[in-house]
Amino acid sequence: MSDYEHYEALVVGAGPGGAAAAATFANYGIETLVLERGVEAGSKNVSGGLIYAEESAPYTIDDLFPGFREAAAERPITKYRIHNIAGDKVESFDLTDLHEHDTEWSDSVLRRKMDSWLEDRVHERTRETGGGLLTGVHVNGLLREEGRIVGVTLDELDPITADIIVAADGVNSELARDAGLMDWDEPDEWFQGVKAVVDMPEDAIADRFDVAEDEGAAHLFSGDLFEGVRGGGFLYTNRDTLSLGTVFHLDSLVAEQAEPHELLDGLLTHPLLAQWLGDDYTELEYSAKLVPDSKKVALREPHFGRLLLVGDAAGQMQAQGPIIKGMNHAVTAGALAAESYAQAKSRNEPEKAGTRYARKLRSEGVMKKLRPRGYELLRGVTEDDGVTNVVDSVLTSAVGRAGVRALSGRLERLYNVPTLSALMPDTRTPYVTLPTVIAEELGTRVRDQSSVTPPDLEARIGGLTYDTDIGSPHITLRDESYEASGAAVAACPVSAVDFGGGCYREEVVRTNGSEERVVSLDTQPCVECGTCAVVADTDWSHPRGDKGVEFKWG
């Protein structure tokens, strides 16, 4: 093996999955180095976000890091509701039973605060075993010798070798792609989330949401307020801020040519939210990220040689209707990955760490949650376009509407059945048609008027912090034709069709009397969500360490 710096274990990414892996390695006395590309853990991360501790999980974040909830979380979520919307009519259901199913606790979090707190503890614990944690370093690929993975390559440092590598480098994992374990070919396998962090004093949160200091609220939104795009909105109370955002199926976003920032504004300005947002709206940060649809992409064998994938890098994000869980699965996976290596090593068979890890994901019930068997069996029927058209036609007919009215006393109970959420098809029926009909037939008209004026896209981009890597763009267009890459003009969360200051712009090139629509790219305003890697023909990588966008809230 080449004479590079060597550690027994490398962990790439210092989010909750990487932190869990590093802490578990340290518990086994394994020398571990953690590599984080942000200036600080959390500076590159965005989540909705709620973190759960499931009763059935073998590991939870507070088990691994005592004091987590008191120091790193925002509020316990004690109220959970979904709002079905049609115009200004709303019918709301209490989803607390669904929220509390298999739940020990659930807290709202902001990633910069949470991840930086975890970083300090990980640094302390890994140093005790001869390792440590480095920030501002971008791991750009895998190091191979004679075809075998032996380490990682970096922009800022010489390659580093290791006996085991845990990739917790997020949804845009360059290591997962380098190993051939994950690709970005199909928009229907991904969600795009866009989020605003909004300033609100604690006393205003207590009054407007009717919560005490140790309580919090989560609200979900679906129906006709998102221009027919499949997905929905969310609002979570933090300590003295709100997290508001939207999450949409990427293929639907592209098909409808909808612009993410406008869909977010549609939520923020809906009259239902006037009771919570009031007339003093102050947006602190705008952000976006891709989210894997675990039902379709969660890897059953998330390993290759010495490389183990955890969290979003392995597609371990459970987004099934109103059930949205990701960070807790990353924690479980990170700990199980480290545990698998330690146990395989103790049996003098470290090469079997990957197969042991995959087996643990199955035996501990993680894969059953991420890839529910019932969904896989039924999706060929429930997601057929013809079936969807028939179901929607029935729902919107007089007969269907009468059925909704007849079920009015049972709908809330049905919404709280975990099995039904797991079977929910990725069609417009549950996201758009059904909630719209429910609101039209059962809803109450909202009389409030919104006074919220969201910032425009230019102001949102201007409010972010960037350290631009001048002369080293991290994205390049392979094909600038509109046919190949034009979808990014609308789908990119910092671009828009009539906005010239974003990443992607449509241009018309006139040559010898002919016209051609092309796309141009400027990576300076990029929020590194990865959307264009899926919907455009690009070569996509992360910026070098410390470069690019830096989120203050996340």
Side-chain angles (χ1 to χ4, degrees):
M1 184 178 292
S2 301
D3 189 22
Y4 294 122
E5 187 174 6
H6 181 86
Y7 291 85
E8 185 171 1
L10 281 178
V11 176
V12 181
T24 306
F25 277 133
N27 290 344
Y28 280 98
I30 293 170
E31 177 193 50
T32 305
L33 179 66
V34 182
L35 302 169
E36 164 60 41
R37 67 186 179 91
V39 64
E40 179 182 57
S43 63
K44 293 290 187 180
N45 294 338
V46 177
S47 293
L50 303 183
I51 187 167
Y52 286 78
E54 291 186 317
E55 294 169 350
S56 62
Y59 290 96
T60 62
I61 193 74
D62 57 329
D63 290 336
L64 294 167
F65 297 95
F68 169 85
R69 299 187 70 192
E70 296 77 11
E74 293 292 312
R75 284 180 182 267
I77 296 300
T78 53
K79 299 180 179 181
Y80 204 83
R81 297 181 67 80
I82 189 168
H83 306 280
N84 302 283
I85 297 174
D88 60 357
K89 295 186 70 176
V90 179
E91 176 67 7
S92 302
F93 296 147
D94 188 336
L95 293 188
T96 303
D97 287 348
L98 180 66
H99 169 66
E100 293 182 348
H101 172 72
D102 192 29
T103 299
E104 183 180 337
W105 56 261
S106 173
D107 290 352
S108 59
V109 294
L110 293 166
R111 289 297 298 273
R112 184 66 180 263
K113 173 184 172 182
M114 180 184 83
D115 290 12
S116 62
W117 184 88
L118 290 172
E119 175 192 323
D120 291 341
R121 275 106 200 121
V122 167
H123 197 183
E124 293 172 5
R125 290 163 72 168
T126 53
R127 286 183 63 184
E128 293 173 358
T129 61
L133 186 150
L134 297 178
T135 59
V137 289
H138 172 217
V139 176
N140 57 31
L142 295 165
L143 178 68
R144 294 175 172 85
E145 290 187 354
E146 298 180 356
R148 296 182 302 110
I149 296 170
V150 297
V152 299
T153 57
L154 305 92
D155 285 339
E156 297 79 14
L157 302 171
D158 289 337
I160 302 173
T161 60
D163 298 330
I164 192 72
I165 303 161
V166 173
D169 51 340
V171 66
N172 307 320
S173 172
E174 291 167 273
L175 298 188
R177 283 183 291 151
D178 192 346
L181 294 174
M182 189 70 78
D183 63 56
W184 292 348
D185 292 340
E186 302 298 334
D188 68 342
E189 296 177 345
W190 306 92
F191 300 90
Q192 184 201 76
V194 172
K195 174 183 173 181
V197 177
V198 177
D199 187 37
M200 186 169 290
E202 286 189 54
D203 58 348
I205 291 176
D207 179 56
R208 297 177 189 181
F209 292 90
D210 189 26
V211 293
E213 184 178 358
D214 58 347
E215 296 176 328
H219 294 270
L220 303 181
F221 309 90
S222 61
D224 71 353
L225 73 167
F226 298 121
E227 302 178 15
V229 183
R230 300 194 322 273
F234 63 85
L235 183 160
Y236 304 138
T237 56
N238 302 316
R239 179 59 51 198
D240 55 6
T241 61
L242 304 178
S243 293
L244 293 108
T246 55
V247 181
F248 296 108
H249 291 264
L250 188 54
D251 63 318
S252 182
L253 196 69
V254 171
E256 300 297 334
Q257 297 183 320
E259 296 182 350
H261 71 103
E262 290 187 345
L263 297 177
L264 175 63
D265 290 349
L267 173 64
L268 295 173
T269 58
H270 192 276
L272 175 64
L273 276 73
Q275 61 184 307
W276 300 311
L277 299 184
D279 57 3
D280 51 354
Y281 182 85
T282 302
E283 192 169 297
L284 300 174
E285 184 172 79
Y286 175 75
S287 58
K289 69 168 291 186
L290 281 188
V291 180
D293 186 349
S294 71
K295 302 188 303 298
K296 300 171 184 175
V297 302
L299 298 175
R300 293 181 173 87
E301 298 290 335
H303 60 93
F304 187 81
R306 300 183 187 186
L307 178 70
L308 311 184
L309 307 181
V310 306
D312 280 359
Q316 295 165 344
M317 171 69 195
Q318 183 184 2
Q320 298 160 8
I323 298 176
I324 305 172
K325 297 180 178 179
M327 288 179 280
N328 59 303
H329 294 312
V331 169
T332 295
L336 290 177
E339 177 185 279
S340 297
Y341 171 75
Q343 292 176 352
K345 175 189 172 185
S346 71
R347 291 166 172 76
N348 294 317
E349 47 186 25
E351 71 281 357
K352 294 184 179 179
T355 55
R356 180 178 289 271
Y357 167 50
R359 189 163 60 246
K360 284 179 179 289
L361 289 174
R362 292 190 294 271
S363 65
E364 295 290 354
V366 178
M367 292 307 299
K368 182 171 64 176
K369 299 170 187 175
L370 296 174
R371 300 196 73 139
R373 181 63 174 158
Y375 170 81
E376 294 183 337
L377 290 173
L378 295 175
R379 66 175 295 201
V381 175
T382 58
E383 295 185 359
D384 178 80
D385 288 343
V387 172
T388 299
N389 291 335
V390 169
V391 172
D392 282 5
S393 295
V394 171
L395 273 174
T396 55
S397 70
V399 172
R401 292 175 182 276
V404 167
R405 292 193 298 272
L407 288 170
S408 61
R410 304 179 190 175
L411 284 173
E412 183 173 89
R413 187 162 67 249
L414 291 172
Y415 264 66
N416 277 281
V417 177
T419 303
L420 292 181
S421 292
L423 296 176
M424 185 170 159
D426 290 337
T427 67
R428 64 178 178 268
T429 303
Y431 290 101
V432 181
T433 310
L434 178 59
T436 300
V437 172
I438 288 173
E440 288 173 343
E441 297 303 317
L442 307 177
T444 301
R445 199 171 302 280
V446 178
R447 302 297 181 183
D448 293 336
Q449 297 292 320
S450 174
S451 61
V452 170
T453 303
D456 62 20
L457 194 52
E458 183 176 11
R460 282 170 163 157
I461 294 172
L464 293 171
T465 300
Y466 293 93
D467 185 353
T468 305
D469 198 359
I470 298 173
S472 299
H474 63 285
I475 310 170
T476 56
L477 276 171
R478 287 196 299 247
D479 187 339
E480 65 178 14
S481 70
Y482 191 84
E483 290 73 18
S485 301
V489 176
C492 169
V494 290
S495 300
V497 172
D498 296 320
F499 177 59
C503 288
Y504 287 90
R505 306 174 184 85
E506 178 187 354
E507 299 176 356
V508 176
V509 176
R510 295 176 174 84
T511 307
N512 297 326
S514 64
E515 293 185 350
E516 181 185 8
R517 297 170 75 193
V518 299
V519 175
S520 64
L521 169 64
D522 175 7
T523 61
Q524 191 279 326
C526 179
V527 290
E528 301 169 33
C529 65
T531 296
C532 61
V534 183
V535 304
D537 191 358
T538 64
D539 283 320
W540 199 102
S541 66
H542 291 109
R544 292 188 294 175
D546 286 354
K547 299 298 183 181
V549 69
E550 177 188 343
F551 294 116
K552 302 295 186 180
W553 302 87

